[in-house]
Coordinates of all heavy atoms in Angstrom, one line a residue:
E255 N 14.4 13.9 20.9 CA 14.2 12.5 21.1 C 13.1 12.0 20.2 O 13.1 11.0 19.6 CB 13.7 12.3 22.6 CG 14.7 11.5 23.4 CD 14.2 11.5 24.9 OE1 13.1 11.0 25.1 OE2 14.9 12.1 25.7
K256 N 12.0 12.9 20.2 CA 10.8 12.5 19.4 C 11.2 12.5 17.9 O 10.8 11.6 17.2 CB 9.8 13.7 19.6 CG 8.4 13.3 19.3 CD 7.4 14.3 19.8 CE 6.1 14.1 19.2 NZ 5.1 15.1 19.6
I257 N 12.0 13.5 17.5 CA 12.4 13.5 16.1 C 13.4 12.3 15.7 O 13.3 11.8 14.6 CB 13.2 14.9 15.7 CG1 12.2 16.0 16.0 CG2 13.7 14.9 14.3 CD1 11.0 16.1 15.2
E258 N 14.2 12.0 16.6 CA 15.1 10.8 16.4 C 14.3 9.6 16.1 O 14.6 8.8 15.2 CB 16.0 10.6 17.6 CG 17.5 10.9 17.4 CD 18.4 10.6 18.6 OE1 18.5 9.4 18.9 OE2 18.9 11.6 19.1
K259 N 13.3 9.4 17.0 CA 12.5 8.2 16.9 C 11.7 8.2 15.5 O 11.6 7.2 14.8 CB 11.4 8.2 18.0 CG 11.1 6.9 18.5 CD 10.3 7.0 19.8 CE 9.1 6.2 19.7 NZ 8.0 6.5 20.7
Y260 N 11.2 9.4 15.2 CA 10.5 9.6 13.9 C 11.4 9.3 12.7 O 11.0 8.6 11.8 CB 10.0 11.1 13.9 CG 9.4 11.6 12.6 CD1 8.4 11.0 12.0 CD2 10.0 12.7 12.0 CE1 7.9 11.4 10.8 CE2 9.5 13.2 10.8 CZ 8.4 12.6 10.2 OH 7.9 13.0 9.0
F261 N 12.6 9.8 12.7 CA 13.5 9.6 11.6 C 13.8 8.1 11.4 O 13.9 7.6 10.3 CB 14.9 10.4 11.8 CG 14.7 11.9 11.5 CD1 13.5 12.5 11.2 CD2 15.9 12.7 11.4 CE1 13.4 13.8 10.9 CE2 15.8 14.0 11.1 CZ 14.6 14.6 10.9
K262 N 14.0 7.4 12.6 CA 14.3 6.0 12.5 C 13.1 5.2 11.9 O 13.2 4.3 11.1 CB 14.6 5.4 13.9 CG 16.0 5.8 14.4 CD 16.3 5.2 15.7 CE 17.6 5.7 16.2 NZ 17.8 5.6 17.7
N263 N 11.9 5.7 12.2 CA 10.7 5.1 11.8 C 10.4 5.3 10.3 O 9.7 4.5 9.7 CB 9.6 5.8 12.6 CG 8.3 5.1 12.5 OD1 8.2 3.9 12.4 ND2 7.2 5.8 12.7
I264 N 11.0 6.3 9.7 CA 10.7 6.6 8.3 C 11.9 6.2 7.4 O 11.9 6.6 6.2 CB 10.2 8.1 8.0 CG1 11.3 9.1 8.5 CG2 8.9 8.3 8.7 CD1 10.9 10.5 8.2
E265 N 12.8 5.4 7.9 CA 14.0 5.1 7.1 C 13.7 4.5 5.8 O 14.4 4.7 4.8 CB 15.0 4.3 7.9 CG 16.4 4.2 7.3 CD 17.3 3.2 7.9 OE1 16.8 2.5 8.8 OE2 18.5 3.1 7.5
Q266 N 12.7 3.6 5.7 CA 12.4 2.9 4.5 C 12.0 3.9 3.4 O 12.1 3.6 2.2 CB 11.4 1.8 4.7 CG 10.1 2.3 5.3 CD 9.0 1.2 5.5 OE1 8.8 0.4 4.6 NE2 8.4 1.2 6.6
Y267 N 11.5 5.0 3.8 CA 11.0 6.0 2.8 C 12.1 7.0 2.4 O 12.0 7.6 1.3 CB 9.7 6.8 3.3 CG 8.7 5.8 3.8 CD1 8.3 5.7 5.2 CD2 8.1 4.9 2.9 CE1 7.4 4.8 5.6 CE2 7.1 4.0 3.4 CZ 6.8 4.0 4.7 OH 5.9 3.1 5.1
L268 N 13.1 7.1 3.3 CA 14.2 8.0 3.0 C 15.5 7.2 3.4 O 16.0 7.5 4.6 CB 14.1 9.3 3.8 CG 12.9 10.2 3.5 CD1 12.8 11.3 4.6 CD2 12.8 10.8 2.1
P269 N 16.0 6.3 2.6 CA 17.1 5.4 3.1 C 18.3 6.1 3.5 O 19.2 5.5 4.2 CB 17.3 4.5 1.8 CG 16.0 4.6 1.1 CD 15.5 6.0 1.3
W270 N 18.5 7.4 3.2 CA 19.8 8.1 3.5 C 19.6 8.8 4.9 O 20.6 9.3 5.5 CB 20.1 9.2 2.5 CG 18.8 10.1 2.2 CD1 18.0 9.9 1.2 CD2 18.4 11.2 3.0 NE1 16.9 10.8 1.3 CE2 17.2 11.6 2.4 CE3 18.8 11.8 4.2 CZ2 16.4 12.7 2.9 CZ3 18.1 12.9 4.7 CH2 16.9 13.3 4.0
I271 N 18.4 8.7 5.5 CA 18.1 9.6 6.6 C 19.0 9.4 7.9 O 19.2 10.3 8.6 CB 16.6 9.5 7.0 CG1 16.2 10.7 7.8 CG2 16.2 8.2 7.7 CD1 14.7 11.0 7.9
L272 N 19.5 8.2 8.1 CA 20.3 8.0 9.3 C 21.8 8.1 9.0 O 22.7 7.8 9.8 CB 20.0 6.6 9.9 CG 18.5 6.3 10.2 CD1 18.3 4.9 10.8 CD2 17.9 7.4 11.1

Side-chain angles (χ1 to χ4, degrees):
E255 246 172 64
K256 202 170 167 180
I257 300 296
E258 247 184 65
K259 215 168 130 197
Y260 168 60
F261 282 8
K262 285 181 183 159
N263 194 29
I264 58 176
E265 192 189 5
Q266 57 180 313
Y267 308 115
L268 302 170
W270 50 265
I271 197 164
L272 305 181

